[in-house]
mmCIF file of all heavy atoms in Angstrom:
data_model
loop_
_atom_site.group_PDB
_atom_site.id
_atom_site.type_symbol
_atom_site.label_atom_id
_atom_site.label_comp_id
_atom_site.label_asym_id
_atom_site.label_seq_id
_atom_site.Cartn_x
_atom_site.Cartn_y
_atom_site.Cartn_z
ATOM 1 N N HIS V 93 -16.429 6.261 -6.782
ATOM 2 C CA HIS V 93 -15.629 7.451 -6.481
ATOM 3 C C HIS V 93 -14.616 7.140 -5.380
ATOM 4 O O HIS V 93 -14.984 6.560 -4.360
ATOM 5 C CB HIS V 93 -16.517 8.602 -6.002
ATOM 6 C CG HIS V 93 -17.382 9.167 -7.091
ATOM 7 N ND1 HIS V 93 -18.539 8.545 -7.512
ATOM 8 C CD2 HIS V 93 -17.249 10.282 -7.848
ATOM 9 C CE1 HIS V 93 -19.081 9.271 -8.488
ATOM 10 N NE2 HIS V 93 -18.316 10.327 -8.710
ATOM 11 N N GLU V 143 -6.658 13.889 -18.261
ATOM 12 C CA GLU V 143 -7.164 14.364 -16.965
ATOM 13 C C GLU V 143 -7.121 13.194 -15.975
ATOM 14 O O GLU V 143 -8.142 12.579 -15.699
ATOM 15 C CB GLU V 143 -8.589 14.880 -17.135
ATOM 16 C CG GLU V 143 -9.072 15.649 -15.935
ATOM 17 C CD GLU V 143 -10.497 16.138 -16.141
ATOM 18 O OE1 GLU V 143 -11.444 15.408 -15.811
ATOM 19 O OE2 GLU V 143 -10.638 17.258 -16.649
ATOM 20 N N TYR V 145 -6.799 12.969 -12.817
ATOM 21 C CA TYR V 145 -7.572 13.142 -11.578
ATOM 22 C C TYR V 145 -8.920 13.772 -11.934
ATOM 23 O O TYR V 145 -8.974 14.744 -12.697
ATOM 24 C CB TYR V 145 -6.797 14.029 -10.590
ATOM 25 C CG TYR V 145 -5.439 13.452 -10.268
ATOM 26 C CD1 TYR V 145 -4.297 13.850 -10.975
ATOM 27 C CD2 TYR V 145 -5.286 12.471 -9.290
ATOM 28 C CE1 TYR V 145 -3.048 13.292 -10.710
ATOM 29 C CE2 TYR V 145 -4.041 11.909 -9.011
ATOM 30 C CZ TYR V 145 -2.936 12.326 -9.728
ATOM 31 O OH TYR V 145 -1.702 11.758 -9.475
ATOM 32 N N CYS V 146 -9.986 13.238 -11.389
ATOM 33 C CA CYS V 146 -11.344 13.671 -11.746
ATOM 34 C C CYS V 146 -11.570 15.143 -11.393
ATOM 35 O O CYS V 146 -11.484 15.518 -10.225
ATOM 36 C CB CYS V 146 -12.361 12.793 -11.021
ATOM 37 S SG CYS V 146 -14.055 13.351 -11.246
ATOM 38 N N HIS V 147 -11.859 15.975 -12.397
ATOM 39 C CA HIS V 147 -11.996 17.413 -12.126
ATOM 40 C C HIS V 147 -13.205 17.706 -11.237
ATOM 41 O O HIS V 147 -13.184 18.630 -10.422
ATOM 42 C CB HIS V 147 -12.043 18.218 -13.435
ATOM 43 C CG HIS V 147 -13.340 18.103 -14.172
ATOM 44 N ND1 HIS V 147 -14.416 18.900 -13.908
ATOM 45 C CD2 HIS V 147 -13.724 17.241 -15.146
ATOM 46 C CE1 HIS V 147 -15.408 18.543 -14.705
ATOM 47 N NE2 HIS V 147 -15.021 17.543 -15.462
ATOM 48 N N ASP V 148 -14.243 16.894 -11.374
ATOM 49 C CA ASP V 148 -15.436 17.118 -10.545
ATOM 50 C C ASP V 148 -15.111 16.866 -9.062
ATOM 51 O O ASP V 148 -15.504 17.648 -8.193
ATOM 52 C CB ASP V 148 -16.565 16.189 -11.011
ATOM 53 C CG ASP V 148 -17.852 16.429 -10.248
ATOM 54 O OD1 ASP V 148 -18.240 17.612 -10.110
ATOM 55 O OD2 ASP V 148 -18.462 15.449 -9.779
ATOM 56 N N MET V 149 -14.343 15.821 -8.789
ATOM 57 C CA MET V 149 -13.990 15.533 -7.390
ATOM 58 C C MET V 149 -13.045 16.593 -6.832
ATOM 59 O O MET V 149 -13.115 16.945 -5.659
ATOM 60 C CB MET V 149 -13.358 14.147 -7.278
ATOM 61 C CG MET V 149 -14.347 13.036 -7.567
ATOM 62 S SD MET V 149 -13.622 11.424 -7.294
ATOM 63 C CE MET V 149 -13.659 11.291 -5.516
ATOM 64 N N LYS V 207 -8.495 4.801 -13.414
ATOM 65 C CA LYS V 207 -9.006 5.240 -14.727
ATOM 66 C C LYS V 207 -9.342 4.035 -15.606
ATOM 67 O O LYS V 207 -10.347 4.024 -16.316
ATOM 68 C CB LYS V 207 -7.947 6.048 -15.452
ATOM 69 C CG LYS V 207 -8.042 7.549 -15.338
ATOM 70 C CD LYS V 207 -9.278 8.128 -15.967
ATOM 71 C CE LYS V 207 -9.228 9.639 -15.934
ATOM 72 N NZ LYS V 207 -9.683 10.171 -14.664
ATOM 73 N N LEU V 211 -13.207 4.488 -12.735
ATOM 74 C CA LEU V 211 -13.555 5.122 -11.460
ATOM 75 C C LEU V 211 -13.180 6.604 -11.488
ATOM 76 O O LEU V 211 -12.225 7.000 -12.136
ATOM 77 C CB LEU V 211 -12.788 4.468 -10.295
ATOM 78 C CG LEU V 211 -12.837 2.944 -10.166
ATOM 79 C CD1 LEU V 211 -12.036 2.497 -8.955
ATOM 80 C CD2 LEU V 211 -14.271 2.474 -10.031
ATOM 81 N N CYS V 212 -13.932 7.410 -10.742
ATOM 82 C CA CYS V 212 -13.535 8.790 -10.492
ATOM 83 C C CYS V 212 -12.562 8.766 -9.316
ATOM 84 O O CYS V 212 -12.845 8.149 -8.284
ATOM 85 C CB CYS V 212 -14.748 9.648 -10.134
ATOM 86 S SG CYS V 212 -15.815 9.970 -11.542
ATOM 87 N N TYR V 213 -11.418 9.428 -9.474
ATOM 88 C CA TYR V 213 -10.346 9.315 -8.484
ATOM 89 C C TYR V 213 -9.690 10.678 -8.284
ATOM 90 O O TYR V 213 -9.410 11.392 -9.251
ATOM 91 C CB TYR V 213 -9.323 8.303 -9.010
ATOM 92 C CG TYR V 213 -8.095 8.112 -8.149
ATOM 93 C CD1 TYR V 213 -8.004 7.045 -7.259
ATOM 94 C CD2 TYR V 213 -7.005 8.989 -8.250
ATOM 95 C CE1 TYR V 213 -6.865 6.857 -6.486
ATOM 96 C CE2 TYR V 213 -5.870 8.798 -7.475
ATOM 97 C CZ TYR V 213 -5.799 7.727 -6.601
ATOM 98 O OH TYR V 213 -4.678 7.541 -5.836
ATOM 99 N N ASN V 262 -22.032 12.258 -8.974
ATOM 100 C CA ASN V 262 -22.290 11.242 -10.002
ATOM 101 C C ASN V 262 -21.134 11.207 -10.989
ATOM 102 O O ASN V 262 -20.140 11.897 -10.797
ATOM 103 C CB ASN V 262 -23.614 11.538 -10.713
ATOM 104 C CG ASN V 262 -23.567 12.892 -11.390
ATOM 105 O OD1 ASN V 262 -22.585 13.253 -12.044
ATOM 106 N ND2 ASN V 262 -24.629 13.669 -11.242
ATOM 107 N N GLN V 263 -21.264 10.420 -12.035
ATOM 108 C CA GLN V 263 -20.186 10.339 -13.032
ATOM 109 C C GLN V 263 -20.600 10.979 -14.349
ATOM 110 O O GLN V 263 -20.032 10.674 -15.391
ATOM 111 C CB GLN V 263 -19.790 8.874 -13.248
ATOM 112 C CG GLN V 263 -19.077 8.268 -12.045
ATOM 113 C CD GLN V 263 -18.302 7.014 -12.418
ATOM 114 O OE1 GLN V 263 -18.881 5.997 -12.735
ATOM 115 N NE2 GLN V 263 -16.978 7.083 -12.382
ATOM 116 N N SER V 265 -20.642 14.386 -14.983
ATOM 117 C CA SER V 265 -20.001 15.654 -15.352
ATOM 118 C C SER V 265 -18.496 15.507 -15.613
ATOM 119 O O SER V 265 -17.757 16.478 -15.605
ATOM 120 C CB SER V 265 -20.248 16.691 -14.258
ATOM 121 O OG SER V 265 -19.961 16.126 -13.004
ATOM 122 N N CYS V 266 -18.032 14.283 -15.803
ATOM 123 C CA CYS V 266 -16.617 14.067 -16.114
ATOM 124 C C CYS V 266 -16.521 12.923 -17.127
ATOM 125 O O CYS V 266 -17.516 12.274 -17.420
ATOM 126 C CB CYS V 266 -15.855 13.708 -14.842
ATOM 127 S SG CYS V 266 -16.490 12.218 -14.058
ATOM 128 N N ARG V 267 -15.299 12.679 -17.596
ATOM 129 C CA ARG V 267 -15.142 11.621 -18.606
ATOM 130 C C ARG V 267 -14.432 10.384 -18.052
ATOM 131 O O ARG V 267 -13.930 9.544 -18.794
ATOM 132 C CB ARG V 267 -14.376 12.175 -19.813
ATOM 133 C CG ARG V 267 -15.177 13.235 -20.581
ATOM 134 C CD ARG V 267 -14.628 13.475 -21.978
ATOM 135 N NE ARG V 267 -14.041 12.303 -22.616
ATOM 136 C CZ ARG V 267 -14.745 11.336 -23.221
ATOM 137 N NH1 ARG V 267 -16.056 11.395 -23.244
ATOM 138 N NH2 ARG V 267 -14.115 10.315 -23.775
ATOM 139 N N CYS V 268 -14.361 10.294 -16.719
ATOM 140 C CA CYS V 268 -13.602 9.202 -16.097
ATOM 141 C C CYS V 268 -14.054 7.808 -16.546
ATOM 142 O O CYS V 268 -13.260 6.894 -16.643
ATOM 143 C CB CYS V 268 -13.682 9.315 -14.588
ATOM 144 S SG CYS V 268 -13.076 10.888 -13.967
ATOM 145 N N LYS V 269 -15.355 7.695 -16.823
ATOM 146 C CA LYS V 269 -15.899 6.383 -17.210
ATOM 147 C C LYS V 269 -15.492 5.988 -18.633
ATOM 148 O O LYS V 269 -15.652 4.851 -19.034
ATOM 149 C CB LYS V 269 -17.438 6.449 -17.166
ATOM 150 C CG LYS V 269 -18.015 5.909 -15.893
ATOM 151 C CD LYS V 269 -19.483 5.528 -15.990
ATOM 152 C CE LYS V 269 -20.401 6.507 -16.655
ATOM 153 N NZ LYS V 269 -21.834 6.229 -16.437
HETATM 154 ZN ZN1 ZN S 21 -14.856 11.639 -12.665
#
Side-chain angles (χ1 to χ4, degrees):
H93 290 78
E143 192 180 89
Y145 302 94
C146 174
H147 74 86
D148 183 48
M149 292 185 77
K207 263 295 186 276
L211 309 181
C212 288
Y213 177 98
N262 61 44
Q263 290 199 291
S265 48
C266 60
R267 293 197 33 80
C268 302
K269 262 199 314 194

